[in-house]
């Protein structure tokens, strides 16, 4: 790949956990629209639930999630009362025969919940919805929140997978992002989970943080792999202080530049692959026997608001402030303001703030972008079978891109494939098929 092409495709780009992306959601989607979409879910269909816990007991400066800092538990307890009412509203809107195939608790910090409240939350979900026999339950964990009682509770509710935030183990980096977390604390949580039967462990690492270097990210990767996680995520830090004001607390002069970020990413990815992990999409790695690796090999890997997943459910319903739902008809996002969320739920309405209803062209582009992000390419025949003549315009655009950037995209055996040396820039490749990009004032993080 030429230096000029690399520079172009290393520019900013969306993360493409949806298409169209969230900046293009609008207020034309609300309670009435989403109830109609939920009522149209197929009888007996398995859906996924995402439960947002929008609280943390410390504010990590690098975080771009919708969360709020609290040192008191009273706001958390009050929020759970509203959440239970939202769960009931969603259950009323869905067909009675709908089942739950997957539950994901994210945040914020789900492990901020007391053991009793975690158990009550999962009990409420099970009492409200039918769960499939093999339903999965995954929980995001802040290792510094954990104690023996919380470890017991995570196992007791039937957790099948735990994701632990690591970021970087070097103290200089941790202090610069207000996230001090020792390797020993992390190891103790991993060992405690496995001792209780929660054997599927994900570790989330981040490059591009202040004071990080190729050597420091390599050290963090080595320590992380010594814990033998089933999956590793390697995210690039998204510095978006115009969106998350607390990121202004990070010293921008200490952030690595574009070339340094690329070097960190490449070194970390190489070390992970050398340790026997298979590369999954843009930024995930999994052991060969893990379900994510199996999905990637079978061509069934998915990408949604939780990132890469092997979850086969077509419908994802988000509960809690800022949560996003993805249904066949489109996307819906809950309001982010806690007061608005509470008032809407207490009034008996779904707390939807905005969304997007998909057109026929949107569905074609969404599928192409998801396949690029998951498989680094897409089949022309499959596009034609799925979408008929509607796929023609996107296929023509792919041909044009091949002609303009042959070192980025090429036609191979009936498919368009991102060239191996360009795969780190797949977000920017996907952006070439985004007909909404450039509309409005949305700003994005670096693509690598």
């Amino acid at each position: 790949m030429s230096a000029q092409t690399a520079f172009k495709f290393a520019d900013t780009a969306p993360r493409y956990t949806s298409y169209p992306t969230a900046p293009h959601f609008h207020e034309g989607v609300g309670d009435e629209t989403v109830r109609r979409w939920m009522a149209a879910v197929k009888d007996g269909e398995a859906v996924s639930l995402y439960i947002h816990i929008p609280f943390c007991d410390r504010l990590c400066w690098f975080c771009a999630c919708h969360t709020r800092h609290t040192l008191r538990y009273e706001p958390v307890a009050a929020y759970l009362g509203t959440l239970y009412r939202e769960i009931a509203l969603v259950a009323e809107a869905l067909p009675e025969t709908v089942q739950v195939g997957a539950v994901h608790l994210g945040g914020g910090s789900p492990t901020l919940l007391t053991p009793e409240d975690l158990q009550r939350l999962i009990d409420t979900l099970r009492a409200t919805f039918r769960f499939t026999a093999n339903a999965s339950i995954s929980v995001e964990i802040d290792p510094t929140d954990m104690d023996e009682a919380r470890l017991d509770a995570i196992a007791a509710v039937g957790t099948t997978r735990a994701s632990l935030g690591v970021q970087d183990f070097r103290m200089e980096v941790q202090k610069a992002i207000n996230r001090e977390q020792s390797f020993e604390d992390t190891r103790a949580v991993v060992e405690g989970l496995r001792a209780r039967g929660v054997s599927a462990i994900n570790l989330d690492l981040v490059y591009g943080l202040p004071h990080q270097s190729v050597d420091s990210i390599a050290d963090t990767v080595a320590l992380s792999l010594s814990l033998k996680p089933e999956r590793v995520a390697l995210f690039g830090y998204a510095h978006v202080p115009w969106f998350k004001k607390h990121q202004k607390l990070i010293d921008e002069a200490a952030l690595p530049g574009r070339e340094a970020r690329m070097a960190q990413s490449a070194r970390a990815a190489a070390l992970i692959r050398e340790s026997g992990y298979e590369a999954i999409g843009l930024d995930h790695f999994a052991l060969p026997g893990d379900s994510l690796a199996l999905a990637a090999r079978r061509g069934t890997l998915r990408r949604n608001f939780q990132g890469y997943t092997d979850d086969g459910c077509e419908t994802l319903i988000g509960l809690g402030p800022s949560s996003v739902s993805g249904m066949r008809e489109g996307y819906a996002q809950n309001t982010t303001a806690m007061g608005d969320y509470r008032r809407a739920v207490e009034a008996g309405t779904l707390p939807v703030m905005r969304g997007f209803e998909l057109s026929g062209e949107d569905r074609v582009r969404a599928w192409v972008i998801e396949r690029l992000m998951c498989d680094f390419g897409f089949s022309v025949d499959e596009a034609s079978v799925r979408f008929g003549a509607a796929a023609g315009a996107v296929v023509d655009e792919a041909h044009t891109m091949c002609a303009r950037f042959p070192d980025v995209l090429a036609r191979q055996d009936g498919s368009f494939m991102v060239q191996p040396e360009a795969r780190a820039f797949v977000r920017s490749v996907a952006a070439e098929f985004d007909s909404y990009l450039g509309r409005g004032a949305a700003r994005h993080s670096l693509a690598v």
Side-chain angles (χ1 to χ4, degrees):
M1 174 186 287
S2 70
Q4 183 177 3
T5 302
F7 184 80
K8 168 183 167 56
F9 282 89
D11 203 355
T12 60
R15 292 185 177 271
Y16 289 115
T17 53
S18 72
Y19 178 82
T21 55
H24 301 289
F25 294 2
H26 56 79
E27 295 179 357
V29 172
D31 171 83
E32 182 179 346
T33 300
V34 176
R35 285 181 182 275
R36 172 166 50 84
W37 292 353
M38 287 185 177
V41 173
K42 298 175 183 177
D43 285 339
E45 180 179 342
V47 304
S48 294
L49 302 179
Y50 170 77
I51 315 295
H52 191 61
I53 307 298
F55 296 95
C56 295
D57 54 9
R58 62 175 171 176
L59 184 63
C60 300
W61 297 341
F62 74 95
C63 182
C65 299
H66 287 288
T67 186
R68 56 196 302 185
H69 176 238
T70 182
L71 296 177
R72 298 184 303 114
Y73 197 72
E74 289 83 358
V76 182
Y79 163 66
L80 289 174
T82 307
L83 177 65
Y84 294 139
R85 288 193 283 275
E86 186 193 4
I87 290 170
L89 289 174
V90 168
E92 291 169 4
L94 289 168
E96 291 184 4
T97 56
V98 165
Q99 303 179 82
V100 170
V103 175
H104 183 87
L105 271 62
S109 298
T111 45
L112 190 64
L113 298 183
T114 64
E116 296 76 16
D117 277 339
L118 176 61
Q119 184 69 61
R120 182 186 174 197
L121 174 57
I122 300 301
D123 286 348
T124 298
L125 292 173
R126 290 189 178 277
T128 306
F129 301 100
R130 303 180 187 183
F131 275 50
T132 63
N134 60 346
S136 63
I137 298 177
S138 55
V139 181
E140 295 176 9
I141 290 177
D142 177 352
T144 63
D145 282 339
M146 299 303 291
D147 52 29
E148 294 297 311
R150 282 181 167 83
L151 287 168
D152 288 341
I154 285 174
V157 299
T159 299
T160 54
R161 184 174 296 275
S163 294
L164 281 67
V166 168
Q167 285 53 258
D168 189 290
F169 282 124
R170 188 165 290 190
M171 184 56 66
E172 180 184 22
V173 177
Q174 293 182 359
K175 288 184 176 180
I177 60 173
N178 198 39
R179 170 87 180 202
E180 295 186 30
Q181 173 184 321
S182 71
F183 171 71
E184 289 71 23
D185 286 343
T186 306
R187 179 175 59 191
V189 171
V190 170
E191 291 175 350
L193 289 167
R194 285 180 171 149
R196 292 165 172 81
V198 183
S199 58
I201 305 294
N202 301 358
L203 296 184
D204 296 340
L205 314 183
V206 179
Y207 67 87
L209 293 170
H211 302 296
Q212 266 185 328
S213 65
V214 170
D215 287 342
S216 75
I217 194 71
D219 290 344
T220 291
V221 167
L223 286 169
S224 299
L225 296 183
S226 73
L227 301 177
K228 296 180 171 48
E230 279 63 37
R231 298 179 189 174
V232 178
L234 178 64
F235 300 119
Y237 166 57
H239 190 58
V240 289
W242 59 87
F243 177 60
K244 288 297 177 181
K245 303 302 183 185
H246 57 258
Q247 289 190 351
K248 292 182 178 180
L249 296 168
I250 287 179
D251 180 7
E252 291 188 346
L255 291 172
R258 185 177 300 184
E259 291 185 2
R261 284 173 60 101
M262 292 172 65
Q264 291 174 18
S265 172
R267 179 62 174 149
L271 290 172
I272 297 169
R273 289 195 302 268
E274 289 167 8
S275 297
Y277 290 79
E278 295 183 5
I280 310 295
L282 174 64
D283 49 22
H284 279 52
F285 303 83
L287 292 174
D290 184 85
S291 58
L292 201 67
L294 296 175
R297 291 198 295 271
R298 293 168 180 160
T300 58
L301 186 66
R302 300 283 309 284
R303 186 166 174 84
N304 60 24
F305 300 102
Q306 297 167 36
Y308 288 110
T309 179
D310 58 331
D311 180 5
C313 298
E314 288 191 66
T315 298
L316 168 64
I317 296 173
L319 297 128
S322 80
S323 292
V324 182
S325 298
M327 288 168 268
R328 290 182 181 87
E329 294 82 359
Y331 307 111
Q333 183 175 23
N334 282 357
T335 181
T336 58
M338 185 64 75
D340 292 342
Y341 169 78
R342 183 183 65 253
R343 284 187 287 273
V345 172
E346 289 177 351
T349 62
L350 297 173
V352 178
M353 172 180 66
R354 59 183 189 151
F356 199 101
E357 188 158 9
L358 296 171
S359 68
E361 180 184 348
D362 293 334
R363 296 177 197 281
V364 179
R365 294 183 182 276
W367 180 82
V368 166
I369 287 173
E370 184 178 27
R371 291 333 319 147
L372 285 167
M373 294 296 297
C374 291
D375 305 330
F376 299 106
F378 68 94
S379 162
V380 175
D381 287 345
E382 187 173 357
S384 297
V385 169
R386 284 177 173 269
F387 306 106
V394 178
V395 170
D396 288 345
E397 290 173 23
H399 278 296
T400 300
M401 188 175 176
C402 288
R404 291 180 62 207
F405 303 106
D407 49 352
V408 174
L409 191 70
R411 182 74 182 262
Q412 299 175 11
D413 299 326
S415 295
F416 290 100
M417 299 299 300
V418 180
Q419 299 280 35
E421 62 271 20
R423 291 184 174 182
F425 310 113
V426 68
R427 285 168 57 190
S428 294
V429 177
E432 294 290 311
F433 299 92
D434 185 342
S435 66
Y436 295 96
L437 194 62
R439 303 186 197 178
R443 299 169 66 184
H444 304 286
S445 60
L446 287 172
V448 179

